[in-house]
Amino acid sequence: MLSPGEFKFKVVRQLGQGGLGTVDEIEVIETNRSYAVGTRLARKRLNSAWAAEPRAIERFEREITTIKIMSHPNILPYR
């Protein structure tokens, strides 16, 4: 059972990869009304090689904070 706002997804394809993370296109496959099934989103994730490195985690979190406030046609909005 999914909690309100939760959803399950599958990775469709990798969109890009940088020094700290990877961006994947994902598709919602099960939902509890946060997104419709079939909705495609982008997901940025920290590479596992950096998961135990505090400075890398801090930098990754700064990137996410910056993405949250950006508004540009080539950048997906953070939700």
Side-chain angles (χ1 to χ4, degrees), residues 20-53:
L20 287 178
T22 303
V23 178
D24 299 315
E25 179 180 5
I26 62 172
E27 182 177 334
V28 175
I29 58 172
E30 187 178 337
T31 185
N32 197 354
R33 295 189 285 201
S34 57
Y35 296 102
V37 171
T39 299
R40 292 203 172 182
L41 306 165
R43 173 191 68 163
K44 185 170 187 169
R45 60 187 165 89
L46 182 64
N47 290 339
S48 59
W50 295 104
E53 180 62 44

Side-chain angles (χ1 to χ4, degrees), residues 44-76:
K44 185 170 187 169
R45 60 187 165 89
L46 182 64
N47 290 339
S48 59
W50 295 104
E53 180 62 44
R55 290 180 66 196
I57 294 168
E58 181 182 308
R59 180 177 166 194
F60 186 79
E61 289 174 349
R62 278 196 318 267
E63 287 182 15
I64 299 303
T65 299
T66 302
I67 290 169
K68 286 179 179 180
I69 62 173
M70 295 181 86
S71 177
H72 188 277
N74 294 333
I75 299 173
L76 295 171

